[in-house]
């Protein structure tokens, strides 16, 4: 039998949840899901109405499966560009949902209304179905989600729209047990859009009884005419050089086609015929375009065999750091072989940029500040794992960084290369499930004294002096075993 002091906290928790569910009401919820390959974009609009005075936060709920696949979440007031602050609640293993608080731009009084837009990006949410496909066959994927948007508040009307790139939708789930919320057909299709709802007078859907009686998974099976790309591993090394006034970036990329695996064998003849008639299979990647920074130079691209001569680079002029440019360099490359479903392709890509385009010096603090891009995105692809390494000049101290979003892990170390004496500080950041939204920059700052600037020329001078000294000594040392004696003059 539970003790009274054990029941009391549970009563407080239930009372708190009940009070929270009565603080707001959802006038309407519209969720739009844009299907893709390895990335799915979801935009949910909440028309909220306050039922109490002095409300400053609105709580959004995400299902457990949805939260595990969500790599990006951003909330805004509809029609505004400024993102609102979000705070995640601590995870509770007994619940099947996560709670996220959105800090409102102003305090709401009773009966005040506001439209909030919550944008999320899911990764690895679609799976190829069937899991295998022939070289000349189509590619179909399937995506599953909850029928009702999970919310701690009562909702007057709710609708979900699932959009694919083409109207070729193979099938979609028709939900059951929806008579309590609608008298019409619960699901319909128009063109490339599958609509669930509208559903009316929905109680708070985070309760266990609602989840057991009404919540269900719905699945859309659709054609996808683009390769499903995934960067399994990205290792980016950025080296800052003061003596060379250069910022070197090198990416080691493992690219994976996450579409249906190839059924049967690969036919080069069929591939050439598809290219000749311009009818490539949707799950085959013959070439790829990458957007690189403007002002790059000395670019190189090679794979495990060597240099790939089929690549072509179009560079854009450099943009000063105090200006915001929209131009970028474009790398067009064709791998040594077309990448089919289940295949991998590993390659290395590197380039140099002028350090002055991304670095600045603060005279007041004596610190250098350098902007380092986290990644260069591949459109439609997810970066499953990234290891970002920033190598500082030798002698750099007081290393610090500021990131737009937290990393999985970060640490400082020492990197030693040629002509180094004490080694260079190195910052390593690890990330997971990055998408285009994460293509931002971190700012690293550090100090370098004048004596540290002289370490490199001193090391070079010492190395050359040592070589010359050894050469002089070597010329004067006689290593002959039997030396000839000089004959004395008579």
């Amino acid at each position: 039998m539970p003790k009274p002091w054990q029941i009391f906290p549970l009563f407080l928790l239930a009372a708190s949840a009940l009070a929270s569910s009565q603080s707001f009401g959802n006038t309407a919820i519209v969720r739009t899901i844009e299907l893709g390959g390895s990335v799915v974009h979801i935009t949910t609009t909440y028309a909220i109405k306050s039922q109490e005075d002095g409300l400053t936060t609105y709580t959004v709920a995400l299902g457990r499966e949805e939260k595990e696949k969500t790599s990006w979440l951003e909330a805004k007031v509809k029609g505004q560009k400024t993102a609102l602050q979000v705070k995640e609640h601590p995870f509770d293993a007994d619940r099947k949902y996560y709670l996220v608080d959105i800090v409102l731009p102003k305090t709401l009084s009773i009966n005040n209304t506001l439209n909030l837009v919550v944008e999320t990006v899911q990764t690895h949410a679609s799976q190829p179905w069937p899991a295998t496909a022939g070289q000349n066959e189509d590619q179909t994927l399937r995506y599953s989600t909850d029928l009702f948007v999970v919310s701690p508040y009562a909702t007057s009307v709710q609708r979900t729209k699932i959009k694919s790139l083409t109207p070729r939708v193979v099938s979609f789930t028709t939900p059951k047990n929806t008579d309590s919320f609608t008298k019409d057909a619960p699901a319909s299709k128009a063109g490339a859009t599958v609509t669930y709802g509208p559903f009316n007078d929905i109680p708070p859907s985070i309760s266990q009884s609602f989840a057991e009686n009404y919540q269900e998974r719905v699945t859309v099976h659709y054609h996808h005419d683009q390769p499903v790309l995934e960067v399994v591993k990205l290792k980016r090394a950025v080296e800052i050089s003061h003596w060379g006034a250069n910022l070197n970036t090198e990416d080691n990329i493992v690219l994976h086609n996450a579409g249906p695996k190839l059924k049967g064998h690969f036919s080069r003849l069929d591939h050439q015929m598809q290219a000749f008639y311009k009818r490539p299979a949707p799950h085959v990647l013959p070439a790829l375009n990458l957007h690189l920074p403007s002002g790059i130079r000395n670019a190189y691209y090679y794979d495990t065999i060597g240099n790939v001569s089929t690549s072509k680079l179009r560079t854009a002029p450099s943009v000063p750091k105090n200006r915001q440019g929209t131009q970028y360099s474009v790398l067009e490359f064709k791998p040594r072989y077309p990448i089919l479903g289940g295949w991998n392709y590993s390659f290395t890509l590197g380039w140099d940029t002028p350090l002055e385009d991304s670095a600045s010096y603060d005279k007041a603090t004596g610190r250098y500040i350098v902007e380092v891009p986290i990644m260069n995105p591949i459109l439609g692809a997810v970066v499953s794992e990234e290891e970002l390494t920033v190598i500082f000049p030798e002698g750099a101290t007081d290393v610090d960084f500021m990131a737009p979003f937290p990393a999985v892990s970060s640490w400082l170390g020492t990197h030693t290369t040629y002509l180094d004496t004490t080694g260079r500080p190195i910052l390593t950041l690890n990330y997971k499930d990055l998408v285009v939204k994460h293509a931002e920059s971190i700012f690293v700052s550090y100090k370098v004294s004048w004596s540290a600037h002289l370490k490199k020329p001193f090391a070079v001078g010492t190395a050359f002096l040592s070589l010359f000294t050894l050469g002089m000594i070597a010329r004067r040392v006689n290593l002959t075993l039997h030396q000839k004696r000089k004959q004395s003059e008579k």
Side-chain angles (χ1 to χ4, degrees):
M1 179 177 179
K3 304 296 182 181
W5 58 80
Q6 294 176 331
I7 299 176
F8 188 65
L10 297 177
F11 172 76
L12 288 179
L13 182 62
S16 175
L18 179 62
S20 175
S21 65
Q22 294 176 349
S23 58
F24 281 100
N26 296 319
T27 306
I29 297 179
V30 178
R31 176 176 56 171
T32 303
I33 302 175
E34 299 179 8
L35 299 176
S38 57
V39 177
V40 175
H41 294 263
I42 302 177
T43 303
T44 307
T45 302
Y46 297 85
I48 66 175
K49 183 178 181 180
S50 61
Q51 298 177 353
E52 297 177 0
D53 286 328
L55 299 178
T56 58
T57 59
Y58 176 84
T59 302
V60 173
L62 298 175
R64 182 176 296 183
E65 293 186 17
E66 182 181 2
K67 179 63 173 63
E68 291 175 353
K69 297 176 182 178
T70 299
S71 65
W72 175 269
L73 186 147
E74 186 178 65
K76 297 179 182 179
V77 176
K78 187 176 182 179
Q80 298 184 7
K81 296 182 179 180
T82 305
L84 302 177
Q85 183 182 2
V86 295
K87 301 177 182 178
E88 291 190 16
H89 286 216
F91 173 67
D92 187 353
D94 296 332
R95 297 185 307 199
K96 295 184 178 181
Y97 55 87
Y98 289 77
L99 296 179
V100 179
D101 285 342
I102 301 174
V103 180
L104 302 178
K106 61 180 180 180
T107 303
L108 297 184
S109 302
I110 190 169
N111 293 330
N112 282 43
T113 60
L114 189 67
N115 290 336
L116 296 178
V117 178
V118 178
E119 181 181 1
T120 59
V121 179
Q122 295 182 357
T123 59
H124 310 290
S126 299
Q127 295 82 33
W129 188 258
T132 60
Q135 187 174 341
N136 298 319
E137 295 178 354
D138 290 335
Q139 172 183 247
T140 56
L141 310 177
R142 64 178 179 180
Y143 173 80
S144 299
T145 187
D146 289 333
L147 173 62
F148 295 99
V149 178
V150 184
S151 177
Y153 313 112
T155 304
S156 298
V157 60
Q158 181 183 132
R159 181 185 288 106
T160 296
K161 298 180 180 180
I162 304 179
K163 300 180 178 180
S164 64
L165 294 179
T166 66
R168 302 172 63 193
V169 176
V170 180
S171 63
F172 57 92
T173 303
T174 301
K176 305 176 182 178
N177 299 329
T178 60
D179 294 339
S180 300
F181 310 112
T182 182
K183 300 301 180 181
D184 300 326
S188 60
K189 176 183 175 297
T193 303
V194 176
T195 303
Y196 288 96
F199 302 114
N200 303 307
D201 301 328
I202 304 172
S205 51
I206 61 174
S207 64
Q208 185 175 358
S209 60
F210 183 90
E212 293 176 352
N213 295 325
Y214 302 108
Q215 187 69 277
E216 62 178 295
R217 302 288 289 181
V218 293
T219 301
V220 177
H221 189 198
Y222 61 99
H223 284 263
H224 190 65
D225 295 338
Q226 298 177 2
V228 182
L229 299 182
E230 174 187 352
V231 177
V232 179
K233 182 70 175 180
L234 168 62
K235 289 186 176 181
R236 164 163 287 194
V238 180
E239 183 175 353
I240 304 171
S241 174
H242 282 201
W243 279 101
N246 185 63
L247 187 70
N248 175 260
T249 303
E250 182 175 284
D251 290 344
N252 291 296
I253 302 173
V254 180
L255 185 64
H256 173 68
N257 189 333
K261 295 182 179 180
L262 177 64
K263 181 171 60 178
H265 65 278
F266 170 70
S267 172
R268 174 65 68 171
L269 177 60
D270 291 344
H271 175 69
Q272 294 295 339
M273 291 180 62
Q274 291 173 351
F276 178 79
Y277 291 108
K278 297 182 179 180
R279 297 177 182 174
H283 53 86
V284 179
L285 179 67
L288 188 64
N289 293 341
L290 292 178
H291 293 174
L292 304 180
S294 59
I296 65 173
R297 60 195 180 191
N298 304 327
Y300 54 91
Y301 162 59
Y302 60 89
D303 56 14
T304 54
I305 298 177
N307 184 46
V308 181
S309 59
T310 53
S311 59
K312 180 181 179 181
L313 176 65
R314 301 199 306 267
T315 59
S318 179
V319 179
K321 58 178 175 293
N322 57 352
R323 295 184 180 179
Q324 200 170 20
T326 57
Q327 293 183 337
Y328 46 81
S329 303
V330 178
L331 174 66
E332 303 174 358
F333 75 92
K334 291 184 179 181
R336 295 183 183 273
Y337 51 86
I339 306 175
L340 282 80
W343 291 13
N344 296 332
Y345 182 66
S346 303
F347 62 96
T348 299
L349 173 63
W351 63 86
D352 294 331
T353 54
L355 185 60
E356 61 182 7
D357 290 350
S358 55
S360 60
Y361 179 71
D362 188 355
K363 294 182 180 180
T365 59
R367 300 184 69 87
Y368 292 91
I369 303 173
V370 180
E371 180 182 1
V372 177
I374 295 177
M375 57 177 283
N376 292 101
I378 300 176
L379 297 179
V382 55
V383 179
S384 298
E385 294 183 11
E386 180 186 359
E387 181 182 279
L388 173 61
T389 302
V390 183
I391 304 173
F392 296 88
E394 189 176 19
T397 58
D398 297 337
V399 174
D400 196 5
F401 70 96
M402 184 177 64
F405 49 88
V408 176
S409 62
S410 62
W411 67 89
L412 285 171
T414 303
H415 173 76
T416 304
T417 183
Y418 57 91
L419 298 179
D420 281 348
T421 54
T422 58
R424 310 181 185 189
I426 182 174
L427 171 65
T428 303
L429 303 171
N430 286 333
Y431 293 98
K432 290 186 64 177
D433 296 334
L434 300 181
V435 294
V436 176
K437 295 286 187 179
H438 295 101
E440 301 184 41
S441 300
I442 67 171
F443 290 88
V444 297
S445 62
Y446 55 93
K447 292 182 179 180
V448 181
S449 61
W450 281 105
S451 59
H453 278 299
L454 298 177
K455 278 188 176 182
K456 183 65 68 177
F458 180 77
V460 174
T462 302
F464 275 103
L465 181 61
S466 301
L467 289 175
F468 288 141
T469 303
L470 289 175
M472 293 172 60
I473 295 174
R475 286 181 60 86
R476 286 165 173 74
V477 175
N478 191 352
L479 301 178
T480 305
L481 295 178
H482 302 285
Q483 299 182 4
K484 295 181 179 180
R485 295 181 178 179
K486 294 184 179 180
Q487 297 180 356
S488 59
E489 296 181 356
K490 295 182 177 180

